[in-house]
Amino acid sequence: MRRYSRITGTGSYLPPRRLSNAELAAELAENGVETSDEWIVERTGIRFRHFAEPDVCSSDLALHAARSALQAAGVAAHDIDLIIVATSTPDMVFPSTACILQHKLGANGGAAFDVQAVCSGFVYALAVADSMIQTGAANKALVVGAEVFSRILDFKDRTTCVLFGDGAGAVVLEASDTPGILASDLHADGKHVGILCVPGHVSGGAVLGDPLLKMDGQAVFKLAVGVLESAARAVLAKSGKRESDIDWLIPHQANIRIMQSTAKKLRLPMSKVVVTVDQHGNTSAASIPLALDSAVRSGQVKRGDLLMLEGVGGGFTWGAVLLNF
Ligand code: UT7
């Protein structure tokens, strides 16, 4: 009998410090950086973001989200045999945030590693965990997206610092006789490395290059709307489903205008799109599992719904996962 994987529990966590656009704008103004609630809402749809305290790392946010997902799934931490953490803001250069999370959870012994695909990270991690469960390499996986993007923001650059926030989301993915995950589609095009990057690295005890985020927003925007449509069409074709079969589109939460454009291309009304960008900002790899958990807990997403998860971001990377929840 064919093995599939199925999400059996979701969880998420946001650090308590929540800033409105007006509060952020007032803080930025103290450093001579001019922005406004009007600009941020009109261009992005963002109204709030959460920032972690300086001593809080991605693994701390991941721990809260993971515990919540385990509780929802009714799975004990020691039964997890695979942990994948999608993050671009790891606790350390090494070891992986997944290993640190594994120890904090008391889930020691299974495989644990990070996936670095920036804002596509959660979709990449979910597809990898699904493959490992299908082949029998794992039975019960914890797939997490966790970020402290506030650490890599240049608060003198108004074109990027108003966009991002911190947070974590997690799912428990278990082996199942019935799908579960129906299809996934992952891509990257490394020629676009420069349009969204943190171009620094550690060398000889110092950071060489610039350790803060750089983005050509318009170039990312244009690429994103194209690849989100093609990835969605690819997973629909692989699974023999139609656009009209989708109950919920859960895209990476970067900009409401990108989400509206994707929904239009897929002929989906916005009432079928899970939107949390207004509340969370762009939390990179955490945005999709945060949106999923929020929609599950609010009662929007129900068992049996067909979900289209889609990520896009630095690399350039993009991908989609279609699943029966
Ligand atoms: O997570 C990975 C994926 N990332 C994304 O998907 C991000 C994709 N890109 C975007 O979402 C949008 O391109 C942005 C939100 C980043 C920018 O929106 P835009 O509509 O492309 O604005 P723009 O870059 O064309 O800037 C328009 C104007 C400029 O002024 P001028 O040249 O027209 O006078 C900017 O200087 O807005 C100005 N501006 C701002 N004004 C107030 C840029 N940032 C700000 C700001 N506050 N924070």
Side-chain angles (χ1 to χ4, degrees), residues 34-35 39 43-44 119 158-159 162-163 196 215 217-218 220-221 252 254-255 257-258 282 312:
E34 205 183 307
T35 187
W39 190 94
R43 301 292 177 128
T44 71
C119 304
R158 67 176 183 174
T159 68
V162 301
L163 305 175
L196 179 48
M215 179 167 75
Q218 288 192 0
V220 173
F221 194 108
H252 170 48
N255 188 319
R257 293 186 289 138
I258 296 176
N282 181 346
V312 60

Side-chain angles (χ1 to χ4, degrees), residues 197-203 207-212:
C197 56
V198 177
H201 66 276
V202 175
S203 174
V207 174
L208 285 194
D210 191 337
L212 299 176

